[in-house]
Amino acid sequence: MDQIVYAFPFLLQGLWTTILVSAIVVALSLVIGAALGVGLVYGPLPVRLAVRILSDCVRGIPILVLIFMVYYGLPPLGLRLDPFWAAVAALTLFKAAQVVEYVRGAIGSIPRGQMEAGKAIGLIFSDRLRFVIFPQAVRRFLPPWINGVTDAVKGSALVSLLGVVDLMHAINQVIGRTYEPLPLYLLGAALYFAINYSLSSFSRVLERRYAFVRE
Amino acid sequence: MTESKQRREFLKFSATGLALAGAAGLTTLNAQQAAAQAASGSLLPTVLERGTLRVGTGSTNAPWHFENDAGELVGMDVTMGRILAKALFDDETKVEFIKQDAAQRIPNVTTGQVDITIQFMTMSSARAQVIAFSRPYYVEGVALLTRPDAQEKTFDQLLAKGSGTRVSILQNVDADTAIHEVLPDAQVLQIDTQANVIQALEAGRADAAAVDLSTVRWLVARTPDRYFDSGKSWRSMLYGAAMRQGDPDWLQFVNTAFTIGIFGHETALYDAAFKEYFGAQVPERKPGFPSV
């Protein structure tokens, strides 16, 4: 217990980094993934093909390899990212590829007749998405996506591979000084759980909010 | 507007948003880093011109590189970085420590992310084929940590107990051989993590823990009531700093700075660190014959 009290202040900066990385990754991947996902479903053949190849490649590569590819592979191409942004870019890319699939699945599960009905009442393409497809698709998109968000929080521990001090790395820093791992790992588990449990509670609220059909 | 045209417009919007989001994340290009990479020739003038040294090291291994209670990065590796900064700028604070994982020690040097890696790196001929090592700044070894309240705490006592002696060590292919080199009859307990190797000693499951000599010295210097140095160390390994190959001027400068910092007229930083992290005095340096 003394160890936990002693260690806590050293973990705050790392905890903040973990939250920051997770938030940026989740926000960016949602925007990028949703845009690409719509492209995958409704785009012309070249766009569909490009998104399909990108998504399959990115999802087929371990995040670890992706992180090192971004960090070491981009500087020769003239793009030199500091470790924080390199890690964020790699995690975002990975998460965006997953979001693409959630979006494709969610939109794909909406019956074709909905689109046709939208057309029949004279809605243009973007209005059909906005008023007809998305409100229905979002309900099917939310559960897997929130699951993916908690995954992103846990996956953010990988940024320490580039020397970024996140929660996990901050824990290891204290262990590296005290040589007493167990209390620190318990504290780490509790902190990660606190973040993820609040996220999944929030997700249940969100799901309930979107569970009804608006007339 | 035709249907497909609308669709194209819509997708164009998405594409713009995408490009913007990407650009926001990817614009932290450091001009200095770019300049350093573009410059041809030696790192030495580049570093001097930049005014700070960029050292790659870790932050999770006492006494080599770790954060102290004040949250400052300290340790023997960090001190070697400061010695180098002092030699370059006559100011030991003009050094930026870039935290890196142990797996990044070589790639960060070869890709120019750091000027030098100083991170308890064992000098091996395999590594020397891809990077240039500085002269060694510490001789690491295996040593036996015991408890001050135990019946057998010195090496001779452990040896005398024969097959009754139990030694914990980190799992590796040659753990048995390493222990039996010095304690031929001892029982070897191979354990999964370094922290648990020490835990085995504390829990009384082992009479001695075989760990790095520097770890033994650090733990004994810090908590003499809990740990004891049995006084035996063997299997020397050299720790050196790593630099990019093909830059003899930079390598020569680092070697000169290290030699002066360890043996010459500016040993204050090294001596203080040696005392603080290993709890020992540096042997006296005698003028005359160059024993460097």
Side-chain angles (χ1 to χ4, degrees):
Chain A
M1 196 60 210
D2 286 352
Q3 278 293 316
I4 292 181
V5 173
Y6 162 81
F8 195 71
F10 296 105
L11 304 187
L12 290 178
Q13 185 63 41
L15 180 63
W16 170 239
T17 305
T18 289
I19 292 171
L20 192 66
V21 168
S22 312
I24 299 176
V25 167
V26 166
L28 280 183
S29 66
L30 180 62
V31 173
I32 297 171
L36 291 181
V38 172
L40 179 64
V41 181
Y42 297 114
L45 188 64
V47 173
R48 289 208 304 267
L49 207 62
V51 175
R52 171 61 40 232
I53 290 172
L54 180 77
S55 164
D56 283 352
C57 286
V58 168
R59 286 182 308 137
I61 299 172
I63 313 187
L64 197 67
V65 177
L66 210 55
I67 287 177
F68 283 127
M69 269 171 63
V70 170
Y71 188 59
Y72 291 117
L74 292 184
L77 305 176
L79 190 61
R80 182 174 277 257
L81 300 177
D82 68 21
F84 179 86
W85 286 108
V88 166
L91 290 174
T92 301
L93 195 59
F94 191 81
K95 188 64 29 195
Q98 291 182 332
V99 172
V100 166
E101 300 304 320
Y102 303 153
V103 169
R104 184 190 58 81
I107 296 178
S109 69
I110 306 300
R112 218 183 161 70
Q114 297 286 324
M115 196 61 151
E116 286 161 1
K119 256 186 229 177
I121 60 169
L123 293 176
I124 60 167
F125 179 70
S126 54
D127 282 348
R128 287 203 297 275
L129 290 187
R130 204 171 132 210
F131 298 115
V132 182
I133 305 296
F134 284 172
Q136 302 181 73
V138 77
R139 269 178 277 151
R140 303 182 184 186
F141 169 78
L142 274 178
W145 181 68
I146 300 272
N147 197 21
V149 169
T150 56
D151 255 1
V153 174
K154 288 182 277 181
S156 71
L158 287 169
V159 301
S160 66
L161 288 167
L162 297 183
V164 177
V165 183
D166 71 323
L167 179 57
M168 198 58 223
H169 202 57
I171 288 171
N172 280 329
Q173 282 183 345
V174 178
I175 294 173
R177 175 163 80 231
T178 62
Y179 284 91
E180 289 185 61
L182 201 60
L184 269 293
Y185 285 144
L186 285 175
L187 177 57
L191 287 173
Y192 277 110
F193 178 79
I195 299 175
N196 280 336
Y197 187 73
S198 23
L199 276 174
S200 46
S201 311
F202 175 63
S203 84
R204 276 194 288 273
V205 174
L206 259 189
E207 279 170 38
R208 266 203 301 277
R209 162 80 180 71
Y210 283 98
F212 64 91
V213 180
R214 271 182 281 181
E215 312 259 316
Chain B
M1 222 186 248
T2 66
E3 156 122 9
S4 70
K5 208 170 177 190
Q6 286 170 15
R7 194 178 292 182
R8 269 202 300 279
E9 288 300 312
F10 185 81
L11 289 169
K12 219 185 272 171
F13 261 120
S14 325
T16 318
L18 184 66
L20 278 177
L26 310 179
T27 44
T28 43
L29 214 153
N30 185 326
Q32 281 181 341
Q33 292 172 351
Q37 212 183 28
S40 60
S42 176
L43 255 183
L44 182 56
T46 313
V47 172
L48 285 170
E49 199 173 318
R50 191 198 301 142
T52 54
L53 171 70
R54 296 161 54 87
V55 174
T57 194
S59 57
T60 55
N61 296 283
W64 293 100
H65 37 258
F66 64 104
E67 291 200 332
N68 63 13
D69 287 344
E72 300 152 337
L73 195 63
V74 292
M76 199 66 202
D77 286 332
V78 173
T79 301
M80 294 317 290
R82 300 218 177 275
I83 287 173
L84 201 49
K86 182 146 176 57
L88 284 161
F89 312 110
D90 197 25
D91 183 350
E92 73 230 40
T93 63
K94 291 195 169 168
V95 51
E96 183 191 350
F97 291 100
I98 317 257
K99 287 180 187 169
Q100 58 186 21
D101 191 74
Q104 290 182 284
R105 290 179 297 188
I106 290 177
N108 274 3
V109 164
T110 52
T111 58
Q113 307 272 6
V114 298
D115 301 326
I116 186 168
T117 282
I118 312 179
Q119 194 173 2
F120 64 5
M121 201 163 170
T122 304
M123 297 171 72
S124 74
S125 30
R127 285 173 174 167
Q129 290 172 10
V130 281
I131 42 99
F133 274 114
S134 73
R135 58 153 298 133
Y137 57 89
Y138 186 74
V139 184
E140 185 62 287
V142 186
L144 295 170
L145 188 70
T146 53
R147 278 172 300 151
D149 55 349
Q151 284 266 309
E152 290 82 20
K153 57 181 180 181
T154 68
F155 176 69
D156 289 338
Q157 288 168 334
L158 292 169
L159 187 62
K161 205 178 167 192
S163 61
T165 300
R166 299 156 304 165
V167 182
S168 60
I169 186 171
L170 190 65
Q171 257 171 17
N172 74 77
V173 279
D174 121 301
D176 277 325
T177 332
I179 299 298
H180 290 146
E181 257 174 41
V182 294
L183 293 169
D185 301 318
Q187 302 168 40
V188 179
L189 311 172
Q190 296 202 30
I191 292 175
D192 59 340
T193 67
Q194 193 70 278
N196 286 345
V197 169
I198 295 169
Q199 200 68 49
L201 172 73
E202 294 207 33
R205 296 169 64 90
D207 302 299
V211 292
D212 286 346
L213 174 62
S214 60
T215 309
V216 169
R217 288 187 169 166
W218 163 251
L219 288 174
V220 171
R222 208 164 151 271
T223 41
D225 52 323
R226 270 169 70 182
Y227 301 110
F228 187 81
D229 180 356
S230 75
K232 176 74 179 175
S233 63
W234 72 105
R235 289 213 166 184
S236 295
M237 293 180 299
L238 305 179
Y239 280 177
M243 283 153 280
R244 213 168 168 166
Q245 287 184 333
D247 190 348
D249 290 349
W250 179 232
L251 177 63
Q252 181 64 17
F253 179 84
V254 170
N255 279 336
T256 308
F258 278 10
T259 305
I260 294 172
I262 302 172
F263 296 99
H265 62 284
E266 289 190 284
T267 56
L269 283 171
Y270 189 90
D271 291 2
F274 205 86
K275 175 113 186 57
E276 176 163 8
Y277 304 125
F278 306 135
Q281 290 288 347
V282 173
E284 191 192 347
R285 304 170 180 96
K286 288 199 179 110
F289 183 74
S291 57
V292 296

